[in-house]
Amino acid sequence: MSRPILVFDSGIGGLSVLGEIRKLLPQRQYCYLFDNARLPYGELAEAELISGCVNLVVTMAKQIDAAIVVIACNTASTLVLPELRAQLTIPVVGVVPAIKPAAAISKRKHIGLLATPGTVKRAYTKELINHFADDCRVELFGCSELVLLAEAKAAGQVIDIEEIARLLQPVIYSELDVLVLGCTHFPMLRSEIQQIVGTGVQLLDSGEAIAKRVKSLLQYQQEPTSLKQIDNERAFYTSKDITEGLKSTLAEYGFVQTAKTSTSVIESNGG
Ligand code: DGL
């Protein structure tokens, strides 16, 4: 048995990335960690996001003897990767908005980035745009409400398509032809978003690219001789409790064992 792949997000969004990784690496073992006590990350102060996230991920990666860490969250990746790489010896892969491929395929040279308010204002995102999309008009749409709607859908609640349409009004009225889903929660609402923006707008996310990166990194990683055995795949969350609806969504992704983490970070947050 190989060591698990640790996938991290603030909530259920990282499951969209995990799904893509699993398509390429179905035999590997996965552990899913999500910081739902502090969600939405897009509204968190940067310093708070970095310290909490680094503590949580480093503690869990060591605890489960992870082979690789995937920060399946754009909002966190644009901030925490250097610190995580400094603290861990295993590879750490992050997800950043698919600006580069979007600029390359846009015929109108007019693209949009739909992401969290945190991601759209990051220096990292601006650099990405300057570097890879300087021949395009790029419109930024920051939205945390969609994150909460994706969470509600994953918790088994009926979500209101009119509400999504209202949130996407600025996208509908722009003339762009490629919309980057720069938050891992948004592929969970792909069909609803596509229905609202129409087939003339191509939706792009980074899930597949991240999966290829993880596969190529693990290909060259030497497994240690003594492996820690984990019987079942586990999902860990940080809030006090999660709904039965969310538990069944996690079970659909193979996570039948779910547990609240008990790292010092979370305990000190009163979670
Ligand atoms: N799923 C996350 C992302 O990719 C963050 C959502 C949030 O907690 O605001 O940005």
Side-chain angles (χ1 to χ4, degrees), residues 9-11 13-14 38-43 72-76 95 116 119 144 147 182-185:
D9 183 34
S10 58
R38 301 193 309 148
L39 174 144
Y41 268 16
E43 306 288 332
C73 172
N74 295 262
T75 316
V95 46
T116 67
T119 298
S144 285
V147 173
C183 168
T184 55
H185 276 73

Side-chain angles (χ1 to χ4, degrees), residues 122-183:
R122 295 269 191 270
Y124 191 105
T125 304
K126 291 199 173 71
E127 275 169 36
L128 212 57
I129 293 169
N130 291 341
H131 207 76
F132 297 113
D134 64 342
D135 59 341
C136 289
R137 182 171 164 209
V138 183
E139 294 195 68
L140 304 174
F141 308 101
C143 186
S144 285
E145 288 91 340
L146 280 174
V147 173
L148 302 178
L149 283 166
E151 287 288 327
K153 184 179 174 184
Q157 292 168 27
V158 178
I159 53 166
D160 181 6
I161 192 87
E162 295 300 323
E163 171 68 358
I164 301 179
R166 188 186 60 74
L167 294 167
L168 293 178
Q169 281 297 305
V171 181
I172 298 165
Y173 288 115
S174 83
E175 300 280 294
L176 55 87
D177 63 355
V178 183
L179 181 65
V180 176
L181 301 182
C183 168

Side-chain angles (χ1 to χ4, degrees), residues 5-8 17 21 57 67-74 76-78 80-82 84-85 88 90-96 124 206-218 221:
I5 296 173
L6 174 59
V7 180
F8 171 78
V17 178
I21 304 172
V57 172
I68 191 168
V69 168
V70 181
I71 303 300
C73 172
N74 295 262
S77 292
T78 47
V80 302
L81 297 182
L84 281 176
R85 287 179 179 141
L88 290 168
I90 54 173
V92 178
V93 177
V95 46
V96 292
Y124 191 105
S206 311
E208 224 182 289
I210 298 306
K212 285 186 186 149
R213 177 85 186 126
V214 170
K215 188 177 179 185
S216 85
L217 282 166
L218 287 178
Q221 201 184 75

Side-chain angles (χ1 to χ4, degrees), residues 14-271:
L15 293 173
S16 67
V17 178
L18 190 143
E20 294 295 334
I21 304 172
R22 200 183 251 143
K23 278 188 209 161
L24 297 189
L25 298 168
Q27 309 298 346
R28 297 289 306 214
Q29 192 158 31
Y30 295 84
C31 173
Y32 191 61
L33 170 64
F34 58 110
D35 190 8
N36 54 343
R38 301 193 309 148
L39 174 144
Y41 268 16
E43 306 288 332
L44 270 192
E46 294 192 356
E48 196 188 335
L49 195 162
I50 296 171
S51 64
C53 180
V54 168
N55 274 322
L56 195 54
V57 172
V58 169
T59 307
M60 185 59 74
K62 290 183 178 163
Q63 195 175 308
I64 64 165
D65 191 18
I68 191 168
V69 168
V70 181
I71 303 300
C73 172
N74 295 262
T75 316
S77 292
T78 47
L79 289 176
V80 302
L81 297 182
E83 188 54 38
L84 281 176
R85 287 179 179 141
Q87 292 201 31
L88 290 168
T89 51
I90 54 173
V92 178
V93 177
V95 46
V96 292
I99 296 288
K100 187 180 175 183
I105 62 168
S106 172
K107 291 198 173 64
R108 290 189 200 148
K109 292 293 161 203
H110 184 177
I111 66 174
L113 169 62
L114 183 63
T116 67
T119 298
V120 299
K121 65 170 192 244
R122 295 269 191 270
Y124 191 105
T125 304
K126 291 199 173 71
E127 275 169 36
L128 212 57
I129 293 169
N130 291 341
H131 207 76
F132 297 113
D134 64 342
D135 59 341
C136 289
R137 182 171 164 209
V138 183
E139 294 195 68
L140 304 174
F141 308 101
C143 186
S144 285
E145 288 91 340
L146 280 174
V147 173
L148 302 178
L149 283 166
E151 287 288 327
K153 184 179 174 184
Q157 292 168 27
V158 178
I159 53 166
D160 181 6
I161 192 87
E162 295 300 323
E163 171 68 358
I164 301 179
R166 188 186 60 74
L167 294 167
L168 293 178
Q169 281 297 305
V171 181
I172 298 165
Y173 288 115
S174 83
E175 300 280 294
L176 55 87
D177 63 355
V178 183
L179 181 65
V180 176
L181 301 182
C183 168
T184 55
H185 276 73
F186 300 165
M188 300 298 209
L189 297 172
R190 183 186 296 275
S191 56
E192 291 85 350
I193 295 173
Q194 191 74 73
Q195 184 187 330
I196 290 157
V197 298
T199 48
V201 177
Q202 191 169 339
L203 304 180
L204 262 196
D205 66 74
S206 311
E208 224 182 289
I210 298 306
K212 285 186 186 149
R213 177 85 186 126
V214 170
K215 188 177 179 185
S216 85
L217 282 166
L218 287 178
Q219 213 171 324
Y220 300 108
Q221 201 184 75
Q222 231 184 345
E223 286 295 336
T225 43
S226 73
L227 297 175
K228 214 179 250 181
Q229 297 266 332
I230 297 179
D231 295 334
N232 272 308
E233 293 194 323
R234 291 176 294 175
F236 294 93
Y237 49 90
T238 59
S239 75
K240 275 205 181 77
D241 217 350
I242 59 171
T243 61
E244 288 307 312
L246 182 50
K247 278 187 190 158
S248 27
T249 297
L250 287 163
E252 280 167 30
Y253 281 84
F255 298 104
V256 279
Q257 296 195 9
T258 56
K260 181 184 173 298
T261 57
S262 55
T263 70
S264 53
V265 196
I266 298 314
E267 296 306 331
S268 70
N269 277 345

